[in-house]
Amino acid sequence: MKAARWYKAKDIRVEDVPEPAVAPGRVKIKVAWTGICGSDLHEYVAGPIFVPVGAPHPLSHEQAPIIMGHEFSGTVTEIGAGVTRVAPGDRVVVEPILACGHCAACRSGKYNLCDSLGFHGLSGGGGGFATCTVVDERMVHRMPEGLSFEQGALVEPAAVAVHAVRLSSLKVGGTAAVFGAGPIGLLIVEALRAAGAAAIHVVELSAQRRAKAAELGATSVIDPSQEDAVARLRELTGGGVDVAYEVTGVPAVLRQCIDSTHFEGETVIVSIWEKDASFQPNTVVLKERVVKGIIAYRDIFPAVMQLMTRGYFSADRLVTKRIRLDDIVEEGFEALVREKQHIKILVESPA
Ligand SMILES: [Zn+2]
Ligand SMILES: [Zn+2]
């Protein structure tokens, strides 16, 4: 079968690989559509970050070259012995978290905090940029009627956004700032709308992304190259927002997030970082503020799909390009590096 494999930064190859075989407790899926994620782009531009190199991942037992793609939907074609949750023909999305099942975090149900955390499509063991793939039964979720496969490919990134808002202290009627309106930032805007935020302020350099944020529910958009975003947010909210979401990974922005919250306000760090980010701890201490991080999601895929059936996180508004697997480097990764107007590029799996 065909698959896109990561060899090293700037070296992703579409090539023929052996088709994976189903095994007991496992499910084989013919992939339909797979999204290119910001973390895929990081691996392409500056990896390895999550891709195991030099030693195999403890759960997938594989190392580079690995098949990429962790945001995908498809159809079950075969099930292994003992599988009961799905049957051949079912339309599904895959929750791509690899977790050990026995560390302290896993034992308390917080599998996204597993000591050996990995992702199907980043950490080895197969992925969505392929004709088909095989995953554990627990990773598979049946799609509700009426959701398209393209919509299904957006469940994974939308789950990050819903998890970020759900783990934050935001309450209905509260105020929020989102720093960075890339794909995840935009999905957070929608998750905030679903959560009943009274005001959603978006800080973003790109005019196209600010316009999209406004379309998706931002109540105001701020261009930080034109004005002091922190001063503006304080003015708009009479002293600061309840919760700021950091979705840029740019060190100087973390400080701005903290400063834009009111006393006892909260900053939620959603980005994955390439380098250190500093802030003066007194900005947290003297206002009894909170700074917390979130990673991925847990126990939320079915709820995200329910929100999608109600019109949230619509593929029609978020997908800016659809390409074939053969074109993934030029029309996918290189296009995302080159053209800032893209939100989500979806890759159609070959037959
Ligand atoms: Zn992703
Ligand atoms: Zn674990």
Side-chain angles (χ1 to χ4, degrees):
M1 67 169 189
K2 241 184 220 181
R5 294 206 292 180
W6 186 98
Y7 278 76
K8 57 183 194 300
K10 294 277 179 180
D11 185 4
I12 290 176
R13 303 177 201 168
V14 177
E15 49 194 8
D16 264 312
V17 301
E19 200 167 306
V22 77
R26 309 259 286 163
V27 175
K28 186 169 177 178
I29 296 162
K30 166 68 189 77
V31 180
W33 288 94
T34 307
I36 302 181
C37 173
S39 44
D40 298 328
L41 190 60
H42 270 120
E43 298 290 354
Y44 177 70
V45 174
I49 296 158
F50 284 107
V51 176
V53 171
H57 187 275
L59 299 177
S60 77
H61 309 296
E62 280 187 17
Q63 57 181 305
I66 55 101
I67 300 176
M68 295 192 83
H70 60 272
E71 305 180 351
F72 62 98
S73 59
T75 305
V76 174
T77 54
E78 229 185 305
I79 56 172
V83 170
T84 54
R85 285 181 56 207
V86 290
D90 283 350
R91 300 162 69 251
V92 295
V93 298
V94 168
E95 178 175 352
I97 288 186
L98 306 180
C100 75
H102 47 74
C103 71
C106 283
R107 275 187 281 116
S108 63
K110 299 186 174 175
Y111 55 87
N112 62 319
L113 308 181
C114 175
D115 287 342
S116 307
L117 178 70
F119 294 89
H120 186 82
L122 278 175
S123 313
F129 295 138
T131 309
C132 44
T133 194
V134 171
V135 300
D136 286 346
E137 178 182 23
R138 63 167 178 82
M139 298 161 75
V140 174
H141 299 273
R142 278 219 304 273
M143 289 173 61
E145 287 291 315
L147 281 198
S148 68
F149 280 132
E150 295 183 39
Q151 192 64 54
L154 294 179
V155 173
E156 198 270 354
V160 175
V162 174
H163 184 66
V165 172
R166 197 145 83 153
L167 260 61
S168 74
S169 59
L170 185 104
K171 300 278 191 295
V172 60
T175 58
V178 181
F179 285 76
I184 297 291
L186 291 169
L187 291 162
I188 287 176
V189 169
E190 286 207 67
L192 286 165
R193 189 156 55 81
I200 306 166
H201 307 290
V202 169
V203 182
E204 166 62 50
L205 284 166
S206 149
Q208 284 155 322
R209 289 178 167 186
R210 285 198 305 275
K212 186 53 91 169
E215 180 193 327
L216 294 174
T219 54
S220 78
V221 291
I222 297 165
D223 178 355
S225 73
Q226 294 303 308
E227 56 185 331
D228 178 339
V230 172
R232 181 85 182 117
L233 285 165
R234 285 195 179 144
E235 178 191 316
L236 282 166
T237 53
V241 295
D242 296 325
V243 185
Y245 300 84
E246 202 300 315
V247 208
T248 68
V250 175
V253 174
L254 178 58
R255 211 156 41 226
Q256 295 172 26
C257 285
I258 296 167
D259 288 340
S260 74
T261 62
H262 65 58
F263 63 87
E264 297 181 317
E266 184 180 76
T267 296
V268 178
I269 304 174
V270 185
S271 305
I272 305 289
W273 299 74
E274 284 169 15
K275 38 182 173 303
D276 290 355
S278 68
F279 58 88
Q280 165 45 271
N282 284 344
T283 59
V284 174
V285 173
L286 298 180
K287 298 288 178 191
E288 297 190 347
R289 287 165 164 147
V290 174
V291 177
K292 72 182 296 179
I294 69 106
I295 178 72
Y297 34 72
R298 59 176 175 264
D299 302 323
I300 209 168
F301 270 45
V304 171
M305 290 192 282
Q306 287 300 316
L307 287 168
M308 285 177 166
T309 63
R310 294 173 51 201
Y312 290 99
F313 316 117
S314 159
D316 290 342
R317 286 196 292 246
L318 295 165
V319 176
T320 47
K321 193 177 184 183
R322 293 161 178 82
I323 62 173
R324 299 178 326 130
L325 184 62
D326 278 322
D327 303 324
I328 191 169
V329 174
E330 247 321 290
E331 297 297 319
F333 291 107
E334 284 296 329
L336 285 167
V337 170
R338 222 170 31 227
E339 305 154 15
K340 279 285 170 231
Q341 80 272 21
H342 285 299
I343 301 172
K344 188 55 79 178
I345 297 181
L346 293 189
V347 179
E348 187 169 26
S349 175

